[in-house]
């Protein structure tokens, strides 16, 4: 229940490393640091717990309602899209995969990503960030405030936004900065455009060299003694007389950030904020992802006149519920006749 | 002869005259009676409305059928994703009529094919399997053409499918007829020029309790094992009861009946989804 961080300190004979061993006898064992000393419901009665939850939900609704019209409450000056400008991305949730068909009858698989409660949290100007480009912190999916530290809550309080599960940073050109608290919607991307999706891949745990790096292993029979999935040789012989750094060996696989580049957007649903993105995307179902415009030079030309700096409902409120790519077969049309 | 007919005619006319007189008298009597009773003009009594009873079809007896691909599989996906897929499925069903059919029914499917003459391609076969959920739902049709067994797997919601007609609607003892691959060819042959057999939209679907004779072993799968739970094969012609009992006992998994994690009760979900789909289709 309490959020604990456990760090195991081991003293062993030849191990120096970065650990400052003051008194070796006292450090044997486990030192646990408690991040949050008490959880919110520990000393509350049941009625109060219910009330806390209820009041938090109300607070969320009020905050989202306040931010619904970003263009009405003192927005920052908006600039036009130019050739080299980069705009913000979104934080989305992977729903699952489905088939789609083109007008010529070919079938492709798409992943459905839903943009849930995406708000801009903070804006850092070029000078503050790294001297090259401005950065916008964007948060996705609302979560409970009771399990977040005070430092994180301060960030969300400054933006006037409910706490988010994932906060990512998008490097953005100076003409595309947005005021913190602005909601971002799926219509920010249009069908026919290409995107890059980044997420943490599914963790596979400690894996051997055949699964992790695709080594061929050894034959199953013909005299192999206890050697079927081992790496075999680890490098050249006496000349370097060492194993090079970065040698592919067994280890923890997965649970790292992986980006899938150049994924086409086939369809956008503006009512439920769902993006239909080509192919597969790293991460498990219901995981939080970072979606941004492609970095690939050959696909950037499709992004002509996008909603810049982002899509505002008050301005372009009359979009259809479903926006389709040109070559996508819409289910309401009659069957395809090939010729 | 002529006199007789003339006489008859006179008789008939006189009868008619009498009848009309009778009616007139009645009406006259009726109104006059009221008039004498109330001393007012008679109130207009409208005739009773005719009650139309539709004896051909009553709502209670039309079959409630929800296609199996609407029922979501058990998993951790958000039900919202299935909701979005169902909307697309209903849109496609409004454009193309996908009839009700079961495994064991005989269907004819016309599909758009760039390499065929006339650009369409018609295939008739018996449905042996219905797989997949959501938009990717498929069904496999099997037929034997010129001595060669042919199975085609069609996607229900593919835009290349132009028509799906049910030539014969029936169910079989199993929900998966893959064993027809190892059965005698006569059980998988369907006449491509078959005329559709009429069936009623009400009442129970006829169950064909046919038990199929198999080719000699080895089969592609061990159909006698309890994991397949096949009712539609004549096992008494293929193996002795002792062999059958041995196989059933050896490969039985009696603990699966008590496995709570394998339970998946879809009744409530089915009702909800059926109501939703009916509403959308009738819009």
């Amino acid at each position: 229940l309490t959020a604990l961080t456990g760090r195991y300190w081991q003293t062993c004979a030849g191990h120096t490393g970065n650990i400052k061993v003051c008194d070796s006898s006292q450090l044997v064992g486990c030192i646990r640091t408690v991040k949050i000393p008490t959880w919110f419901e520990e000393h509350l009665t049941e009625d109060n717990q219910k009330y806390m939850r209820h009041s938090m939900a109300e607070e969320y609704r009020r905050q989202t309602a306040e931010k619904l019209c970003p263009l009405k409450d003192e927005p920052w000056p908006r600039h036009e899209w130019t050739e080299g400008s980069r705009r913000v991305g979104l934080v989305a949730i992977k729903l699952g995969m489905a088939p789609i068909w083109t007008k010529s009858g070919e079938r492709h698989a798409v992943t459905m990503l839903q943009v849930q409660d995406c708000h801009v949290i903070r804006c850092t100007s070029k000078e503050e960030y790294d001297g090259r480009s401005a950065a916008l912190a964007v948060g996705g999916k609302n979560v409970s405030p009771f399990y977040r530290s005070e430092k994180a809550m301060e960030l969300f309080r400054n933006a006037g936004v409910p706490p988010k599960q994932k906060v990512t940073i998008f490097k953005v050109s100076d003409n595309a900065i947005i005021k913190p608290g602005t909601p971002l919607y799926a219509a920010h991307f249009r069908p026919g455009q290409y995107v890059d999706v980044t997420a943490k891949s599914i963790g596979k745990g400690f894996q051997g060299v055949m699964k992790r790096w695709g080594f061929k292993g050894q034959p199953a029979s013909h005299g192999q003694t206890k050697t079927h999935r081992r790496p075999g040789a680890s490098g050249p012989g006496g000349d370097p007389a060492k194993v090079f750094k970065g040698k592919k060996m067994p280890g923890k696989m997965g649970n790292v950030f992986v980006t899938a580049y150049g994924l086409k957007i086939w369809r956008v649903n503006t009512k439920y904020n769902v993006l239909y993105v080509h192919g597969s995307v790293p991460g498990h179902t219901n995981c939080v992802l970072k979606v941004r415009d492609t970095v690939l030079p050959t696909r950037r030309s499709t992004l002509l006149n996008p909603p810049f700096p982002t899509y505002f409902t008050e301005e372009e409120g009359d979009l259809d519920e479903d926006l389709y790519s040109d070559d996508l077969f819409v289910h309401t049309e009659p069957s395809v006749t090939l010729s | 002869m002529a006199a007789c007919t003339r006489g008859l005619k006179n008789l008939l006319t006189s009868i008619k005259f009498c009848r009309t007189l009778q009616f007139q008298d009645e009406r006259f009597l009726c109104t006059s009676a009221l008039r004498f009773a109330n001393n007012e003009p008679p109130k207009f009594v409208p005739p009773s409305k005719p009650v139309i009873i539709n004896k051909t079809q009553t709502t209670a007896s039309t079959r409630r059928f929800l296609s199996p691909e609407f029922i979501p599989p058990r998993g951790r996906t958000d039900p919202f994703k299935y909701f979005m897929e169902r909307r697309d499925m209903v849109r496609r069903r409004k454009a193309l009529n996908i009839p009700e059919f079961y495994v064991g029914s005989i269907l004819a499917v016309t599909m758009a094919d760039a390499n065929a003459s006339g650009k369409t391609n018609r295939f008739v076969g018996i449905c042996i399997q219905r797989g997949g959920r959501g938009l990717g739902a498929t069904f496999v049709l099997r037929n034997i053409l010129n001595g060669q067994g042919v199975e085609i797997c069609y996607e229900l919601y593919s835009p290349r499918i132009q028509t799906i007609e049910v030539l014969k609607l029936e169910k079989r003892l199993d929900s998966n007829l893959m064993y027809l691959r190892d059965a005698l060819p006569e059980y998988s042959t369907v006449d491509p020029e078959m005329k559709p057999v009429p069936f009623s939209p009400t009442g129970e679907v006829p169950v064909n309790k046919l038990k199929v004779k198999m080719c000699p072993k080895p089969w592609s799968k061990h159909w006698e094992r309890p994991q397949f739970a096949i009712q539609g094969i004549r096992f008494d012609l293929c193996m002795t009861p002792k062999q059958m009992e041995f196989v059933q006992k050896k490969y039985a998994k009696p603990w699966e009946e008590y496995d709570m994690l394998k339970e998946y009760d879809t009744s409530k979900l089915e009702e909800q989804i059926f109501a939703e789909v009916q509403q959308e289709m009738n819009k």
Side-chain angles (χ1 to χ4, degrees):
Chain A
L1 289 160
T2 46
L4 300 172
T5 49
R7 272 173 282 160
Y8 291 95
W9 289 48
Q10 277 173 336
T11 50
C12 31
H15 187 70
T16 45
N18 301 328
I19 307 164
K20 290 198 179 118
V21 179
C22 325
D23 198 10
S24 50
S25 57
Q26 280 181 9
L27 287 165
V28 170
C30 165
I31 298 175
R32 296 153 120 214
T33 52
V34 176
K35 270 190 179 158
I36 302 165
T38 47
W39 54 100
F40 91 100
E41 37 191 37
E42 195 180 347
H43 300 301
L44 296 177
T45 55
E46 269 195 37
D47 288 342
N48 287 352
Q49 284 168 28
K50 258 199 207 164
Y51 172 73
M52 284 294 279
R53 290 207 162 89
H54 184 68
S55 69
M56 272 299 135
E58 294 243 339
E59 176 81 16
Y60 276 22
R61 262 175 257 136
R62 189 186 59 80
Q63 280 174 341
T64 355
E66 267 175 21
K67 304 290 175 185
L68 271 180
C69 310
L71 285 178
K72 294 223 172 93
D73 39 55
E74 300 152 14
W76 287 358
R78 292 179 59 187
H79 307 273
E80 283 298 312
W81 177 79
T82 55
E83 202 40 61
S85 44
R86 280 177 302 176
R87 53 182 196 145
V88 200
L90 303 173
V91 175
I93 293 176
K94 175 174 170 178
L95 291 179
M97 295 187 72
I100 46 150
W101 289 270
T102 57
K103 288 202 164 104
S104 51
E106 283 158 16
R107 183 199 142 121
H108 299 289
V110 288
T111 319
M112 293 159 63
L113 311 180
Q114 187 182 30
V115 179
Q116 289 179 6
D117 318 307
C118 198
H119 285 96
V120 176
I121 309 279
R122 183 178 56 181
C123 174
T124 22
S125 64
K126 194 155 89 166
E127 295 75 43
E128 284 167 20
Y129 189 61
D130 65 350
R132 289 208 197 145
S133 58
L136 281 176
V138 173
K141 203 169 163 193
N142 287 351
V143 275
S144 154
F146 304 122
Y147 303 96
R148 290 280 179 282
S149 57
E150 258 308 306
K151 208 170 96 178
M153 285 306 292
E154 210 183 290
L155 196 67
F156 297 117
R157 218 175 296 127
N158 290 345
V161 135
K164 308 288 181 190
Q165 183 173 337
K166 184 175 175 78
V167 176
T168 44
I169 300 201
F170 290 97
K171 283 215 227 78
V172 134
S173 52
D174 290 322
N175 53 355
I177 46 173
I178 307 175
K179 183 177 175 192
T182 332
L184 301 172
Y185 300 104
H188 178 82
F189 294 116
R190 293 298 155 90
Q193 191 192 330
Y194 290 81
V195 286
D196 295 340
V197 178
T198 314
K200 266 212 167 161
S201 55
I202 298 178
K204 313 268 180 200
F206 195 102
Q207 287 300 337
V209 105
M210 276 178 84
K211 191 177 181 79
R212 195 176 183 213
W213 299 114
F215 282 16
K216 282 184 76 177
Q218 288 82 28
S221 67
H222 291 299
Q224 311 293 318
T225 33
K226 299 171 13 172
T227 318
H228 306 289
R229 299 182 67 91
R230 299 182 74 191
S234 57
D239 187 8
K242 67 173 190 175
V243 176
F244 294 123
K245 276 198 193 301
K247 173 83 190 63
K248 291 181 180 175
M249 283 186 168
K252 292 257 163 65
M253 180 182 166
N255 202 25
V256 285
F257 284 107
V258 171
T259 312
Y261 295 98
L263 302 176
K264 179 172 170 182
I265 292 197
W266 285 98
R267 180 175 161 186
V268 175
N269 186 312
T270 41
K271 185 175 167 198
Y272 295 104
N273 281 325
V274 179
L275 295 168
Y276 288 69
V277 137
H278 186 90
S280 59
V281 131
H284 53 87
T285 16
N286 303 326
C287 80
V288 196
L289 330 142
K290 173 180 175 178
V291 189
R292 59 146 206 251
D293 295 326
T294 329
V295 115
L296 301 177
T298 41
R299 303 278 187 229
R300 294 211 69 139
S301 51
T302 46
L303 189 64
L304 296 163
N305 225 4
F308 197 82
T310 185
Y311 165 77
F312 293 108
T313 20
E314 307 122 313
E315 202 184 66
E316 309 161 61
D318 298 335
L319 280 184
D320 301 325
E321 191 192 326
D322 272 302
L323 300 169
Y324 299 98
S325 175
D326 293 328
D327 42 351
L328 183 59
F329 171 78
V330 183
H331 293 290
T332 42
E333 289 166 9
S335 302
V336 143
T337 38
L338 304 173
S339 53
Chain B
M1 190 65 194
C4 292
T5 49
R6 232 188 294 129
L8 255 173
K9 214 171 144 186
N10 285 337
L11 191 60
L12 285 166
T13 44
S14 58
I15 288 170
K16 272 193 207 140
F17 186 62
C18 289
R19 237 189 283 146
T20 47
L21 254 181
Q22 203 188 25
F23 282 137
Q24 272 175 0
D25 285 337
E26 276 176 6
R27 257 182 275 152
F28 181 68
L29 276 166
C30 192
T31 49
S32 52
L34 279 168
R35 209 180 278 270
F36 290 141
N38 297 335
N39 271 340
E40 291 161 1
K43 256 199 212 163
F44 170 65
V45 178
S48 56
K49 274 204 184 136
V51 177
I52 305 168
I53 304 169
N54 188 0
K55 286 188 188 147
T56 49
Q57 209 185 70
T58 48
T59 42
S61 63
T62 35
R63 262 196 301 272
R64 277 174 58 107
F65 173 69
L66 182 66
S67 212
E69 71 265 8
F70 280 102
I71 302 161
R74 191 173 62 155
R76 296 172 77 170
T77 29
D78 203 353
F80 173 71
K81 185 240 176 186
Y82 297 123
F83 166 72
M84 294 295 284
E85 268 195 310
R86 254 178 275 140
R87 274 168 27 132
D88 281 332
M89 283 152 80
V90 163
R91 277 182 203 143
R92 178 74 186 140
R93 276 179 180 248
K94 284 189 183 161
L96 169 74
N97 171 39
I98 297 175
E100 166 194 356
F101 67 97
Y102 303 87
V103 167
S105 330
I106 298 179
L107 307 187
V109 174
T110 43
M111 196 169 85
D113 189 359
N115 305 320
S117 60
K119 303 300 167 195
T120 51
N121 164 347
R122 181 175 193 258
F123 185 76
V124 177
I126 184 170
C127 176
I128 56 174
Q129 177 183 272
R130 283 190 80 162
R133 294 282 177 271
L135 279 170
T138 54
F139 62 101
V140 181
L141 293 185
R142 179 182 166 82
N143 199 351
I144 299 191
L145 303 170
N146 293 357
Q148 174 64 52
V150 177
E151 284 181 17
I152 304 189
C153 176
Y154 293 101
E155 290 181 313
L156 273 172
Y157 297 97
S158 168
R160 284 171 64 187
I161 292 192
Q162 266 140 25
T163 47
I164 305 179
E165 322 154 27
V166 176
L167 299 177
K168 187 171 186 197
L169 181 72
E170 65 176 7
K171 278 200 222 187
R172 290 282 206 113
L173 290 169
D174 310 301
S175 60
N176 196 313
L177 298 178
M178 285 293 180
Y179 56 82
L180 289 179
R181 291 170 181 170
D182 298 314
L184 297 175
E186 66 205 38
Y187 297 101
S188 313
T189 4
V190 173
D191 177 23
E193 313 304 326
M194 186 175 142
K195 293 277 178 289
V197 165
F199 56 88
S200 75
T202 62
E204 292 286 321
V205 173
V207 178
N208 188 353
K209 295 202 199 294
L210 174 66
K211 291 216 174 200
V212 137
K213 291 189 189 143
M214 302 291 273
C215 289
K217 278 195 172 187
W219 296 331
S220 57
K221 293 236 181 323
H222 299 279
W223 301 114
E224 71 275 8
R225 291 192 184 171
Q227 70 193 90
F228 297 109
I230 290 182
Q231 306 295 315
I233 296 183
R234 292 275 323 256
F235 287 117
D236 49 335
L237 298 174
C238 323
M239 42 210 294
T240 59
K242 232 181 165 179
Q243 279 176 329
M244 187 68 185
E245 205 193 295
F246 172 77
V247 161
Q248 290 282 319
K249 197 169 160 199
K250 180 173 180 188
Y251 298 102
K253 292 184 185 169
W255 56 87
E256 275 189 352
E257 191 193 327
Y258 306 103
D259 194 345
M260 287 170 75
L261 285 182
K262 292 210 168 130
E263 287 170 5
Y264 185 38
D265 184 26
T266 50
S267 46
K268 284 202 185 102
L269 206 60
E270 247 187 78
E271 278 169 39
Q272 268 174 6
I273 296 174
F274 181 73
E276 191 190 311
V277 168
Q278 283 292 90
Q279 210 185 28
E280 291 282 314
M281 288 295 288
N282 293 338
K283 263 191 198 162

